Amino acid sequence: MSVLIFVDQTENHIKKSSYEVLTYGVKLAAQIGTNAEAIVLGTVNDDLSALGKYGVTKVHHVANETLNHVDAHVYTKVIEEAVAATNATVVVISHNTTGKAIAARISAKLKAGLVAGAIALPDTSNGFVVKKSVFSGKAFANVNIATAIKIISLNPNSFHVTSADGTATVETLNATVEAAKIKVTAVNKVSGEVPLSEADIVVSAGRGMKGPENWGMIEELAHELHAATACSRPVADADWRPHHEHVGQTGLQIAPNLYIAIGISGAIQHLAGVNRSKVMVVINKDPEAPFFKAADYGIVGDAFEVVPQLISEIKKLHNN
Amino acid sequence: MKILVCISKTPDTTSKIAFKDGNTKFDDAGVQWIINPSDEWNALVRALELKEKDASIVLHLISVGGADYDPIIRKALALGGDEAIRVNADSSDSYFIASQIAAVAKEGAYDLILTGKETIDYNGSSIGGFVAELIDVAYVSLATKFDLNGTVATIDREIEGGEETNEVSLPVVVSCQKGVAEQRIPNMRGIMAARTKPLKVVEPIAVDALTSLVSFELPPAKAGVKLVAADNVAELVRLLHEEAKAI
């Protein structure tokens, strides 16, 4: 028996969301009295034995280059064999773009129940009940998995990463890597930026910024806070900002530690995408903006005056 | 060329979410139902654009749900599409739903199956992956661009921190998101035509659900906003640093 943790990589490095999934999987293994092992696919330049810091005893690695790109069909076959090799009863995956590509496929292959978008460890006192986010963050559902093998995909930024001293044994897994059905002809990575789904701090702005030419201060604030930038739907629809920055019910749903909303009124659809943020700050000149009802901290004021002051105060804080 | 587009019914995006029967059921009192946004604006509209370029394309819609789905299906048919199939079943288990779609997809030998990136109620992003595995074809998730050249699809899809261009031979299952299609609204001619388009109701195949819904809950209420004066931004930074420990 084991909990098998899928460790995701990008450009030959372990993704940040993987550490969260590792912590989750290790805690789950302790809860159900089994050990936690990790599976890594593709070429990785990081030291995989260091994953032991998160509590896994063993790391299974399939270093085939075909696996450097996610082809759901190919990945599924490899994970199926890894589950058999480790006798896994639970598979844990991040609900990131990779998880969205492969989790359901693996579930169908193994006839193993999937809870997609989990936000907490399962309640195993009566069955195997996993809490997940539903209605785009407006509510939660508790879902029971009845099958022998269970699959959980964990919403990014749902679980606090913990680590300690430790090393894991790294073993090569001889798994069947089938021919890819998908040919990757181009990869376009936005480098140097913090990916929005994984960011601890997100600085987001809306129509109150009046036009794309005014985003300089938003980017500067994000830079000072090592934050990702996001925007509301009207801003993305007007092409002031790229679509992948759109957070909300029909955009990306995020759960950073700190969400700073500037010039965003806080329509219910927007709040749905961000209300799992731990701390929300709103800056808006309209005191009636609905966002003030949802936020933790707020300033009623003009963004064009408040944001430059905020940048200089944060610089002061960082210089102390 | 046959295209199947998966259509789900979801509460309108402005709906207030509440539950009933001991928090085991969604309370639909006063709720407006809509076509799940990414099913409509992305998957369906892209299929319509393809059909406009190639009139020989046969476009079918599929939903899994009770008779309460019919108005939503008619609305989707008003946008376009030749006919719709409704599998007469109701389930909260996405594997069950996907199994019904897969059975229809297999039977109809579709070349292309499109879904939205997720439904805005269960947020599983899983129907496409399930269907692809069940009918054993390639799966491309989170597409932002989709082009067809003969039997080869060229698809841009979202990956962690960027995008990737994929080439894949049909048949393929694709989940679609923003960027993949232009936006449009149904016109009166479409609405009239939808009334007479075939809406076939078929009975579900037997499938064991893999999961079951135990209960819903709402997030805890917020304590209330702490307001800081606009001329005292330093105080906000102090609170975020010392009290919230967020920076």
Side-chain angles (χ1 to χ4, degrees), chain A:
Chain A
M1 289 234 308
S2 72
V3 170
L4 183 65
I5 302 159
F6 176 81
V7 172
D8 198 13
Q9 57 121 338
T10 180
E11 292 176 321
N12 314 124
H13 292 287
I14 305 293
K15 282 183 193 171
K16 185 190 151 206
S17 59
S18 295
Y19 301 120
E20 191 181 356
V21 176
L22 280 162
T23 306
Y24 181 93
V26 166
K27 292 219 162 114
L28 173 58
Q31 183 182 328
I32 61 173
T34 182
N35 61 312
E37 302 182 13
I39 173 95
V40 182
L41 308 186
T43 320
V44 177
N45 298 332
D46 300 332
D47 173 17
L48 293 179
S49 65
L51 296 182
K53 282 197 292 192
Y54 304 93
V56 284
T57 48
K58 211 179 264 185
V59 177
H60 304 271
H61 187 202
V62 187
N64 190 307
E65 279 186 0
T66 306
L67 302 169
N68 290 355
H69 296 287
V70 179
D71 184 326
H73 155 80
V74 182
Y75 266 49
T76 298
K77 180 74 187 153
V78 173
I79 301 288
E80 181 191 28
E81 293 186 6
V83 166
T86 56
N87 203 7
T89 52
V90 186
V91 181
V92 183
I93 306 174
S94 175
H95 193 57
N96 62 6
T97 55
T98 307
K100 287 171 186 175
I102 66 172
R105 236 191 137 129
I106 297 166
S107 166
K109 182 101 182 171
L110 300 174
K111 300 285 176 281
L114 163 69
V115 171
I119 56 156
L121 284 166
D123 177 352
T124 47
S125 62
N126 182 15
F128 193 97
V129 179
V130 190
K131 187 190 274 198
K132 67 159 288 185
S133 177
V134 289
F135 296 101
S136 306
K138 289 180 196 166
F140 306 109
N142 297 299
V143 179
N144 186 53
I145 309 180
T147 51
I149 301 175
K150 297 156 177 77
I151 301 179
I152 299 171
S153 70
L154 181 68
N155 256 351
N157 279 349
S158 297
F159 214 72
H160 184 66
V161 177
T162 54
S163 61
D165 286 341
T167 42
T169 326
V170 182
E171 288 181 5
T172 297
L173 182 72
N174 288 313
T176 313
V177 179
E178 294 184 341
K181 289 191 180 186
I182 294 167
K183 187 172 143 200
V184 179
T185 56
V187 178
N188 183 13
K189 291 259 181 175
V190 188
S191 56
E193 281 182 36
V194 185
L196 190 49
S197 61
E198 293 185 359
D200 285 328
I201 303 179
V202 172
V203 176
S204 187
R207 264 185 303 194
M209 295 309 294
K210 296 190 169 70
E213 66 279 7
N214 296 323
W215 245 261
M217 67 173 87
I218 301 299
E219 283 170 349
E220 191 183 350
L221 178 59
H223 178 77
E224 283 305 321
L225 291 167
H226 305 290
T229 51
C231 69
S232 63
R233 182 173 159 206
V235 164
D237 281 352
D239 284 330
W240 291 2
R241 298 296 292 174
H243 283 308
H244 64 77
E245 282 198 1
H246 164 205
V247 291
Q249 189 155 16
T250 55
L252 196 65
Q253 287 115 43
I254 55 171
N257 259 328
L258 174 61
Y259 183 78
I260 303 178
I262 300 161
I264 299 176
S265 65
I268 190 169
Q269 296 97 327
H270 184 80
L271 294 177
V274 301
N275 64 9
R276 286 193 309 114
S277 307
K278 283 167 199 75
V279 178
M280 289 202 279
V281 176
V282 56
I283 297 166
N284 202 303
K285 65 179 176 189
D286 175 11
E288 301 299 320
F291 219 135
F292 284 108
K293 289 202 174 66
D296 301 285
Y297 300 97
I299 289 182
V300 179
D302 187 341
F304 293 93
E305 287 163 23
V306 174
V307 174
Q309 290 181 58
L310 190 53
I311 293 167
S312 82
E313 290 298 331
I314 286 162
K315 278 185 179 160
K316 269 191 226 165
L317 177 74
H318 287 166
N319 288 338
N320 281 338

Side-chain angles (χ1 to χ4, degrees), chain B residues 163-186:
Chain B
E163 286 195 347
E164 192 179 84
T165 306
N166 290 170
E167 264 178 29
V168 57
S169 293
L170 303 182
V172 61
V173 178
V174 182
S175 81
C176 301
Q177 62 171 335
K178 207 171 211 171
V180 88
E182 299 290 327
Q183 202 174 338
R184 65 176 65 190
I185 49 170

Side-chain angles (χ1 to χ4, degrees), chain B residues 2 15 26 33 63 86 106 113 134 201 232 234:
Chain B
K2 287 180 79 181
S15 302
F26 175 65
W33 295 95
S63 290
R86 174 168 65 80
K106 211 168 203 169
I113 298 163
L134 290 166
V201 178
N232 195 7

Side-chain angles (χ1 to χ4, degrees), chain B residues 65-219:
Chain B
D68 54 323
Y69 253 75
D70 289 350
I72 289 299
I73 298 171
R74 290 283 174 210
K75 199 183 155 211
L77 283 170
L79 283 158
D82 301 307
E83 65 170 62
I85 302 147
R86 174 168 65 80
V87 182
N88 191 26
D90 192 17
S91 174
S92 69
D93 181 52
S94 48
Y95 175 77
F96 176 92
I97 290 169
S99 299
Q100 305 305 329
I101 296 169
V104 171
K106 211 168 203 169
E107 173 89 26
Y110 293 91
D111 305 285
L112 177 61
I113 298 163
L114 300 178
T115 74
K117 69 161 181 163
E118 64 174 0
T119 59
I120 59 167
D121 49 9
Y122 285 100
N123 305 108
S125 291
S126 51
I127 293 295
F130 279 130
V131 172
E133 182 60 32
L134 290 166
I135 62 172
D136 195 23
V137 302
Y139 177 47
V140 179
S141 50
L142 307 173
T144 55
K145 193 163 180 271
F146 181 96
D147 283 308
L148 206 51
N149 190 356
T151 58
V152 176
T154 304
I155 305 165
D156 285 356
R157 70 178 192 105
E158 186 189 340
I159 55 171
E160 230 52 29
E163 286 195 347
E164 192 179 84
T165 306
N166 290 170
E167 264 178 29
V168 57
S169 293
L170 303 182
V172 61
V173 178
V174 182
S175 81
C176 301
Q177 62 171 335
K178 207 171 211 171
V180 88
E182 299 290 327
Q183 202 174 338
R184 65 176 65 190
I185 49 170
N187 56 30
M188 194 42 88
R189 210 176 113 225
I191 294 166
M192 299 304 283
R195 291 184 182 173
T196 54
K197 284 181 183 174
L199 197 173
K200 289 184 196 158
V201 178
V202 299
E203 290 308 309
I205 59 164
V207 178
D208 287 331
L210 304 181
T211 64
S212 60
L213 188 92
V214 178
S215 63
F216 289 108
E217 52 189 271
L218 290 168

